[in-house]
Amino acid sequence: VKVTFTKTVASSTIYTVSSSVASGSGKVHFGNNVTSAKVTAGTLINFQATPAAGYKVAQILVGGTAWTIKNNGGDAVYQFTMPAGNCGVVVTFTSTTTYKVRCGTFSVKTNATNYVNQLAAKGFDAYMETVSGQYVVYAGTFSVKANATNLVNQLAAKGFSSYITTA
């Protein structure tokens, strides 16, 4: 009887890791602007999410799982261990612009307070801020311009003049 022993080498399966931007403006890559690579399971993967000017990271999904955002949504490097399967890194960027619906500016605080009360009586959630010694009345603050535009239209339908400003 003759027995032969052969050493078997485990074959490593190669998987694809890719990065993409779901929406907004910015970049996500694995270094040197690489957005896709072939790697084995267990490999430590670094990726960088870099928002464009006026944007921040709103969501990161790695293999469909949400991650905690670093650096208040600013530029940051993240790391994970490659699973045994293809994996995607998907980043959503959102605008940092705030849209305010401005209804009026007054030099006398009582006049501004009266206007806030008039708006409230018509069902609007108005508030007042002091800006450069003036009393400015706003009816809302939004991160989406379409929502601010909708409020301007609602105010106009009730006889109030307003416009959108950015903060």
Side-chain angles (χ1 to χ4, degrees), residues 10-18 36-43 45 82-87:
S11 63
S12 296
T13 304
I14 303 293
Y15 300 103
T16 301
V17 60
S18 60
S36 181
K38 302 282 188 184
V39 296
T40 58
T43 302
I45 305 294
M82 183 68 182
N86 294 334
C87 184

Side-chain angles (χ1 to χ4, degrees), residues 45-96:
I45 305 294
N46 290 315
F47 69 92
Q48 185 168 0
T50 305
Y55 285 82
K56 68 179 180 178
V57 175
Q59 182 182 52
I60 296 175
L61 298 175
V62 176
T65 301
W67 278 51
T68 302
I69 307 300
K70 293 181 180 179
N71 193 23
N72 294 318
D75 187 28
V77 175
Y78 300 81
Q79 184 178 71
F80 68 96
T81 302
M82 183 68 182
N86 294 334
C87 184
V89 175
V90 181
V91 178
T92 300
F93 297 98
T94 188
S95 175
T96 56

Side-chain angles (χ1 to χ4, degrees), residues 98-144:
T98 301
Y99 302 96
K100 290 185 170 187
V101 176
R102 190 169 179 158
C103 297
T105 304
F106 301 87
S107 58
V108 178
K109 186 175 184 178
T110 304
N111 295 343
T113 301
N114 289 339
Y115 201 58
V116 167
N117 293 336
Q118 289 174 29
L119 289 161
K122 295 290 184 176
F124 296 104
D125 190 21
Y127 60 95
M128 176 180 41
E129 291 181 0
T130 305
V131 178
S132 301
Q134 298 287 307
Y135 302 98
V136 180
V137 176
Y138 296 98
T141 302
F142 303 90
S143 59
V144 177

